[in-house]
Amino acid sequence: MAAVVVIWIGFLLDLILGDPPKLYHPVRWIGKEISFLEKRLLKRPTVSDAELQTGEQAKARKHRERRGGAVMAVIVIVTAFVVSGLILWICYHVHPILGVAVEGWLCYRMLAARCLRDESMPVYRALKKHDLPAARTAVSRIVGRDTETLDEEGVAKATVETIAENASDGAVAPLFYMMLFGAVGGFVYKAVNTMDSMVGYKNDKYQYFGTAAARIDDVLNFIPSRICAVLIILCSWGRRFDRKRAANVWQRDRRKHKSPNSAQSEAAMAGALGVELAGDASYFGKIVKKDTIGDRTRAIEPEDIIRANRMLYRVVWVMMILFTVLKGVLGFVL
């Protein structure tokens, strides 16, 4: 039952404390490692050299950058595994209580349910005051798209989308890997997810270098994203949520994204709320065409941010309860 105890410690600390700004986060260390490796492994030609590249040179660059990205991915994953595993090994050998305490703390730092809620609430408050500039500024902190031209509905939609997507990346997926492999599993997952968020873009700079990070992230999120979607459907009770529509929209729209995972929880959330998510968006000044997800049964509104956060909390609580039942009552070894 040690795994249950440490994960509950981490889970409850996350819900109570969130992410205090003065408390150092291990992800920052992971990010520094990734930046350090990128500077040494991503060797790119100057613009003038790139313009003169032959087909063979372009192919060589492609292979070189993919190889460099793969090397970085291996180093980051091995480092996360070794460092977290060594810390816990030492702590458990000093005293079991110390081991449980440190592993519980590591689990806590790998979760972001409370942080996601806290970061989305300034958007809600600004929208309720009809302060569009403040709402745009607040949402720009949690989304990657351009926010300067979004109207109130666009700001609300972007916020609900990021809650839906990060319900998987920030809560369900880390919990899933901690349930399987303890805090070390959560730490390795977080390292891969951070790496993907930093270099997994399909732009000119990271198109090849970020391939390994993006593909590993896709593999690790394949099961958790679908678990998250199913849990959203199961948790769609009450007059503000529609379970049948959540299931139908998920079945229909879960593949409407270039990533095999990103649309899973978004589709379930859109169906549960009865709103339309996704669609075209601007990134770095360029419009990116995207399919819409869900049905526009009504206009999205600020209260949908509250509802999406309520759904996030329902999902993580149900997941924790199910895990405890499987481990404790049924003796099921995950």
Side-chain angles (χ1 to χ4, degrees):
M1 293 299 289
V4 175
V5 173
V6 298
I7 295 173
W8 270 105
I9 289 172
F11 174 71
L12 293 175
L13 284 175
D14 176 55
L15 295 189
I16 295 168
L17 301 178
D19 185 17
K22 294 184 179 180
L23 186 61
Y24 190 83
H25 202 295
V27 169
R28 296 180 189 173
W29 171 78
I30 296 170
K32 289 180 179 179
E33 180 192 14
I34 294 167
S35 296
F36 174 84
L37 292 170
E38 179 190 336
K39 291 176 182 177
R40 284 149 183 80
L41 294 171
L42 180 54
K43 306 295 184 180
R44 308 198 73 242
T46 64
V47 175
S48 58
D49 290 337
E51 291 172 349
L52 297 173
Q53 282 184 335
T54 65
E56 288 300 318
Q57 288 173 328
K59 186 181 293 186
R61 172 202 157 190
K62 173 181 176 180
H63 290 311
R64 182 176 65 251
E65 291 184 6
R66 280 189 171 174
R67 184 169 57 249
V71 170
M72 183 186 73
V74 171
I75 293 174
V76 169
I77 291 170
V78 170
T79 303
F81 176 80
V82 171
V83 170
S84 59
L86 184 60
I87 289 172
L88 291 176
W89 183 83
I90 292 171
C91 290
Y92 275 108
H93 273 73
V94 171
H95 198 282
I97 294 178
L98 177 63
V100 169
V102 172
E103 188 167 11
W105 182 85
L106 283 177
C107 289
Y108 154 52
R109 300 311 282 156
M110 294 304 105
L111 295 171
R114 170 67 183 271
C115 178
L116 184 57
R117 175 188 173 276
D118 289 348
E119 291 294 328
S120 64
M121 289 308 294
V123 184
Y124 170 77
R125 289 190 288 267
L127 288 175
K128 291 297 287 184
K129 295 177 182 177
H130 301 287
D131 188 346
L132 185 55
R136 288 170 175 168
T137 299
V139 77
S140 70
R141 300 189 185 105
I142 58 175
V143 301
R145 72 190 64 183
D146 300 331
T147 61
E148 297 85 359
T149 60
L150 293 178
D151 58 13
E152 290 192 0
E153 186 175 352
V155 169
K157 183 173 77 168
T159 307
V160 171
E161 285 176 19
T162 200
I163 294 170
E165 184 175 354
N166 285 287
S168 178
D169 292 358
V172 171
L175 279 174
F176 176 76
Y177 285 105
M178 287 188 289
M179 290 171 181
L180 286 174
F181 308 112
V184 174
F187 203 80
V188 171
Y189 169 78
K190 207 66 178 179
V192 171
N193 192 242
T194 302
M195 185 166 50
D196 178 62
S197 70
M198 292 178 67
V199 304
Y201 296 101
K202 291 186 177 180
N203 55 22
D204 181 62
K205 183 177 182 180
Y206 296 123
Q207 182 178 5
Y208 306 123
F209 186 75
T211 299
R215 289 181 178 174
I216 295 170
D217 186 74
D218 284 344
V219 171
L220 291 187
N221 279 302
F222 189 86
I223 295 175
S225 64
R226 285 151 180 80
I227 291 175
C228 184
V230 171
L231 288 174
I232 289 173
I233 294 168
L234 292 176
C235 293
S236 295
W237 66 74
R239 66 187 186 89
R240 290 296 184 179
F241 298 104
D242 189 322
R243 182 178 298 164
K244 182 177 180 180
R245 185 168 55 216
N248 290 339
V249 172
W250 176 61
Q251 287 284 349
R252 186 192 70 198
D253 294 347
R254 60 184 175 172
R255 297 182 181 88
K256 287 187 175 182
H257 200 284
K258 291 181 180 179
S259 163
N261 306 315
S262 294
Q264 298 289 329
S265 54
E266 282 189 44
M269 185 74 80
L273 293 173
V275 298
E276 183 181 88
L277 299 178
D280 299 347
S282 175
Y283 294 87
F284 307 105
K286 295 182 179 180
I287 298 296
V288 176
K289 296 290 184 180
K290 294 182 179 181
D291 291 330
T292 57
I293 294 173
D295 299 314
R296 190 181 172 86
T297 61
R298 59 177 177 81
I300 197 165
E301 59 187 12
E303 293 302 323
D304 287 313
I305 297 173
I306 300 293
R307 294 170 191 137
N309 279 317
R310 188 180 303 140
M311 178 61 73
L312 165 66
Y313 271 48
R314 287 182 183 181
V315 164
V316 293
W317 271 104
V318 169
M319 187 173 183
M320 284 298 300
I321 291 169
L322 289 175
F323 166 65
T324 303
V325 169
L326 290 174
K327 287 288 284 186
V329 177
L330 303 180
F332 189 81
V333 179
L334 292 176

